[in-house]
């Protein structure tokens, strides 16, 4: 079976409000409004363009600063810091490594993640375990993003995925539904019990034994 991992909230934690609280050194003091700032910063076309590789962190900061009334330098410094400090879900990474090493049967283990190009580059240098995958797609490199059907089609073509023999693990219901629409098996990974959720999904599809 092909097992396809998302990154955010499957292998690494993606909690923008917490990142803002802990790592946004804002001279304008806006970090105190972490939840509101995370919502207006991340849930916007600007961030999607960043994920798609259409703009870089400098352009993202300039746009966000104008739109949100923030200081552009502080916003860019925060954005550039994110991939260096993303918390890792070690139990899930260990399980992914076991699957890649064939300890639970013969499976191909790949990834499909919405990830800005700059983030992907940092994570690849920071996390040697990424090399254990049999390949993968980051949105910033192909200029496509989930849940657009085109990125699933690209994954099928580039990674040689047979939809009927592919299990996709992602924290977003929209992304999971889009995968199922193409005939993939797919399961939503729930927090806060990330590793348990991943393990249960793998058990449900016969990859692991209960």
């Amino acid at each position: 079976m092909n097992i396809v991992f998302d990154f955010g909230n499957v292998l690494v934690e993606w909690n923008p409000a917490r990142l803002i609280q802990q790592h946004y050194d804002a001279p304008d003091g806006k970090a105190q409004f972490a939840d509101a700032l995370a919502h207006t910063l991340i849930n916007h076309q600007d961030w999607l363009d960043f994920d798609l590789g259409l703009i870089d962190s400098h352009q993202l900061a300039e746009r966000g600063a104008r739109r949100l009334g923030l200081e552009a330098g502080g916003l860019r410094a925060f954005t550039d810091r994110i991939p260096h400090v993303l918390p890792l879900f070690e139990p899930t990474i260990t399980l992914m490594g076991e699957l890649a090493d064939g300890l639970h049967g013969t499976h191909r283990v790949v990834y499909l993640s919405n990830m800005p190009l700059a983030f992907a580059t940092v994570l690849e240098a920071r996390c040697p375990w990424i090399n254990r995958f049999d390949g993968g797609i980051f949105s910033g490199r192909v200029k496509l993003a989930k849940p657009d059907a085109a990125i699933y089609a690209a994954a099928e073509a580039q990674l040689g995925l047979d939809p009927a023999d592919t299990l996709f693990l992602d924290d977003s219901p929209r992304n999971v539904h889009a995968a199922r629409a193409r005939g993939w098996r797919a399961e939503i990974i729930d927090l806060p019990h990330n590793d348990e959720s991943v393990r249960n999904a793998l058990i449900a599809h016969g990859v692991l034994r209960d």
Side-chain angles (χ1 to χ4, degrees):
M1 179 180 291
N2 305 301
I3 304 171
V4 185
F5 283 83
D6 178 32
F7 265 65
N9 289 335
V10 179
L11 295 167
V12 302
E13 182 183 79
W14 179 241
N15 186 329
R18 183 176 297 170
L19 288 167
I20 289 168
Q21 290 172 338
Q22 296 178 349
H23 301 288
Y24 182 19
D25 184 15
D28 45 29
K30 294 293 178 64
Q32 63 184 301
F33 305 110
D35 290 331
L37 179 55
H39 179 77
T40 56
L41 178 64
I42 305 300
N43 298 312
H44 190 273
Q45 184 63 41
D46 290 347
W47 194 273
L48 178 58
D49 288 347
F50 188 43
D51 263 347
L52 285 166
L54 302 179
I55 61 174
D56 60 21
S57 64
H58 175 75
Q59 293 166 304
L60 177 73
E62 291 293 332
R63 289 185 186 184
R66 288 194 300 269
R67 181 165 53 85
L68 303 173
L70 300 174
E71 193 272 322
L75 186 55
R76 182 180 182 186
F78 163 69
T79 303
D80 288 343
R81 181 165 172 73
I82 289 174
H84 296 276
V85 297
L86 283 174
L88 308 179
F89 289 140
E90 296 291 353
T92 308
I93 291 167
T94 297
L95 179 54
M96 179 279 295
E98 292 176 356
L99 292 168
D101 291 344
L103 300 184
H104 302 284
T106 303
H107 305 285
R108 291 181 66 241
V109 184
V110 299
Y111 59 85
L112 179 63
S113 180
N114 286 357
M115 184 79 67
L117 180 57
F119 286 19
T121 301
V122 170
L123 282 174
E124 286 167 338
R126 176 187 169 198
C127 303
W129 48 264
I130 294 177
N131 293 325
R132 301 175 77 176
F133 283 104
D134 291 318
I137 289 177
F138 287 124
S139 63
R141 292 209 169 108
V142 296
K143 293 183 169 51
L144 299 168
K146 299 174 293 184
D148 186 345
I151 196 170
Y152 299 91
E156 292 165 13
Q158 294 182 25
L159 304 175
L161 305 182
D162 174 2
D165 195 37
T166 296
L167 173 61
F168 179 48
L169 308 175
D170 194 292
D171 71 311
S172 164
R174 292 177 64 206
N175 296 344
V176 165
H177 295 329
R180 289 174 179 168
R182 292 197 62 86
W184 296 23
R185 306 185 192 189
E187 297 294 339
I188 299 169
I189 301 307
D190 297 321
L191 295 176
H193 305 295
N194 165 278
D195 58 327
E196 180 181 340
S197 183
V198 170
R199 187 172 292 275
N200 287 342
L202 294 170
I203 290 171
H205 289 270
V207 177
L208 298 182
R209 293 182 179 180
D210 193 349

